[in-house]
């Protein structure tokens, strides 16, 4: 029997940070089997709509505890779209700035 997927402790603040920056966030951590924790999207000033899958790791934990699981590694390697690992509010801000400058 498959174990229920559990959200990282910092997921609520990560999600709140994305939403405060104007992103739409869909929770997907319960899908399991390596699927990332959230899907985020944002309409950019250019009119483009940008979507990414976000794997949330708890930056307060040791680096060894933030490693991807084997299922997450397989999923990431097969994914052909935008994929990002986020572990803090600062990482959300950096990613937001990167997206806004790039697109």
């Amino acid at each position: 029997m498959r174990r229920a997927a559990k959200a990282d402790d910092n997921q609520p603040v990560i999600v709140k940070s994305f939403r405060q920056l104007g992103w739409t966030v869909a929770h997907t951590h319960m899908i399991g089997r390596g699927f990332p924790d959230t899907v985020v999207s944002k309409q950019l000033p250019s009119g483009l709509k940008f979507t990414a899958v976000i794997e949330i790791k708890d930056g307060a934990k040791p680096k060894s505890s933030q490693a991807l699981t084997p299922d997450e590694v397989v999923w990431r390697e097969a994914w052909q779209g935008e994929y990002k690992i986020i572990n803090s509010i600062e990482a959300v801000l950096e990613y937001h700035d990167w997206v806004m400058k790039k697109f």
Side-chain angles (χ1 to χ4, degrees), residues 32-35 68-77:
R33 295 191 173 97
F35 197 94
L68 295 176
T69 67
D71 281 348
E72 290 168 346
V73 170
V74 168
W75 199 95
R76 182 186 64 184
E77 289 175 355

Side-chain angles (χ1 to χ4, degrees), residues 7-95:
D8 285 282
D9 290 340
N10 64 337
Q11 184 164 326
V13 297
I14 298 289
V15 168
K16 182 178 180 181
S17 297
F18 270 111
R19 287 183 173 150
Q20 287 176 333
L21 292 167
W23 292 76
T24 301
V25 180
H27 292 276
T28 53
H29 66 275
M30 71 296 274
I31 294 173
R33 295 191 173 97
F35 197 94
D37 297 310
T38 60
V39 176
V40 299
S41 66
K42 180 158 180 66
Q43 181 151 357
L44 305 175
S46 65
L48 291 174
K49 293 179 180 179
F50 182 85
T51 301
V53 294
I54 304 293
E55 178 60 41
I56 298 173
K57 296 296 182 184
D58 191 340
K61 292 184 177 178
K63 289 287 184 191
S64 60
S65 296
Q66 296 181 52
L68 295 176
T69 67
D71 281 348
E72 290 168 346
V73 170
V74 168
W75 199 95
R76 182 186 64 184
E77 289 175 355
W79 183 245
Q80 296 182 43
E82 179 66 20
Y83 178 100
K84 184 69 176 171
I85 298 169
I86 297 287
N87 67 358
S88 66
I89 293 171
E90 293 78 16
V92 172
L93 297 172
E94 289 172 12
Y95 188 63

